Amino acid sequence: MRVNWNYIKLAFLSISLVALYGFADMRSKKREVSDISIKFLGDNSLYITEDAVNKLLIQNYGPVKNRPKEQLVLNTIEEVILSNDMVKSAQVYLTVNGELISKIVQRKPIGRVEGISKFYLDDLGKRMPLSKHHSARVPIITGEITGKTLEDAYEILNYINEDDFLRKNVIGIHIEEEGKYQLRFRMENFVVNLGGVDNLNGKFKNFMAFYVKATKDNSLESYAIVSLEYSNQVVCTKI
């Protein structure tokens, strides 16, 4: 009987490859985490520190560095990081060298509520706690704070943040009651009665037309109240 050595060589090669793969996989699982790298993505990395993330992991997951890779559950580590109120999203993975990488996006505040409770309103319209590490320079929200008025304040802030002039100059929103919102500006003495959140585009267009004209006339300082509540007009009250 003639032996087909090609088949034998192929079978031996296959067995060798499986053995090598199994050996490499076993060594990889036994390898320990060599280092931890925490990376904050974007320009909003002020509200939680690298030390705070490390402490959070130790308290809720245990030590990570020098731990065998096979003992790690990456999804659980992500959930631990996401449990912090300052974190918007987190991605955790291991490199081939055994380094644990954590990429974190922090939440972004767009307004700060000053009332019985103090907190930020973030860019998704959700409550965000204040940070002991950094105070955001965002418009202050005061007055009658309710679920509905916060929704309206969020809509106003979103509009303001889309406009370069308004974003730089509006420093506060005062809520008199639902449907009655008042804006405060950085460099001007007057306040702007916005009314409700209906037709924000039309109201702010009318305001900018007034502002440009009053700036040319050097008359801005003579106004105490600028009202945008009425349809297609700006009603001013002088000091």
Side-chain angles (χ1 to χ4, degrees):
M1 181 178 179
R2 190 173 181 179
V3 177
N4 191 327
W5 290 103
N6 289 331
Y7 286 135
I8 294 175
K9 290 177 182 179
L10 182 60
F12 179 77
L13 180 61
S14 299
I15 294 171
S16 298
L17 287 174
V18 170
L20 285 172
Y21 177 80
F23 179 72
D25 185 57
M26 182 177 65
R27 287 192 62 185
S28 176
K29 288 181 178 179
K30 287 184 177 180
R31 182 177 293 174
E32 296 178 344
V33 176
S34 60
D35 199 7
I36 302 172
S37 178
I38 296 170
K39 300 179 180 180
F40 295 109
L41 304 182
D43 58 356
N44 205 48
S45 56
L46 302 168
Y47 306 102
I48 182 174
T49 64
E50 184 174 336
D51 285 342
V53 174
N54 283 324
K55 288 179 181 178
L56 184 68
L57 288 174
I58 292 171
Q59 291 171 356
N60 295 275
Y61 191 81
V64 175
K65 191 174 180 179
N66 299 324
R67 193 167 177 171
K69 291 167 60 176
E70 64 178 352
Q71 293 182 9
L72 295 182
V73 182
L74 299 183
N75 287 341
T76 301
I77 295 176
E78 286 184 357
E79 290 173 2
V80 169
I81 296 173
L82 286 169
S83 69
N84 187 281
D85 289 330
M86 300 298 175
V87 176
K88 185 175 185 178
S89 66
Q91 180 186 9
V92 178
Y93 60 91
L94 275 166
T95 68
V96 293
N97 296 323
E99 184 180 14
L100 183 74
I101 306 291
S102 176
K103 293 183 177 180
I104 297 173
V105 177
Q106 297 190 30
R107 295 172 68 184
K108 181 180 180 180
I110 60 173
R112 175 172 175 151
V113 174
E114 290 288 337
I116 297 176
S117 298
K118 301 179 189 297
F119 55 90
Y120 289 124
L121 194 65
D122 76 1
D123 59 344
L124 296 178
K126 297 180 180 179
R127 297 187 181 211
M128 172 182 171
L130 303 183
S131 170
K132 62 182 180 180
H133 301 294
H134 180 75
S135 180
R137 297 184 63 183
V138 291
I140 304 298
I141 305 170
T142 57
E144 295 295 319
I145 307 298
T146 66
K148 180 60 172 67
T149 59
L150 277 183
E151 288 179 9
D152 288 349
Y154 172 67
E155 187 171 344
I156 295 168
L157 288 168
N158 269 339
Y159 189 95
I160 288 172
N161 285 329
E162 291 296 319
D163 183 276
D164 189 59
F165 173 82
L166 295 174
R167 184 176 63 255
K168 291 178 179 178
N169 288 281
V170 175
I171 61 171
I173 299 175
H174 180 69
I175 305 169
E176 295 181 328
E177 60 182 78
E178 186 179 322
K180 289 190 175 182
Y181 303 100
Q182 191 177 76
L183 304 183
R184 292 171 180 166
F185 281 70
R186 188 178 306 281
M187 301 298 294
E188 312 301 341
N189 293 322
F190 60 76
V191 295
V192 175
N193 285 341
L194 185 63
V197 294
D198 56 297
N199 192 26
L200 289 179
N201 191 53
K203 289 178 178 179
F204 280 116
K205 278 186 176 180
N206 290 338
F207 171 76
M208 289 308 301
F210 153 78
Y211 191 89
V212 170
K213 183 178 185 304
T215 300
K216 288 181 179 179
D217 296 342
N218 293 318
S219 60
L220 284 175
E221 293 183 0
S222 64
Y223 298 109
I225 299 172
V226 177
S227 180
L228 308 176
E229 297 174 274
Y230 309 103
S231 178
N232 294 322
Q233 58 182 317
V234 177
V235 178
C236 301
T237 303
K238 290 192 173 184
I239 296 174

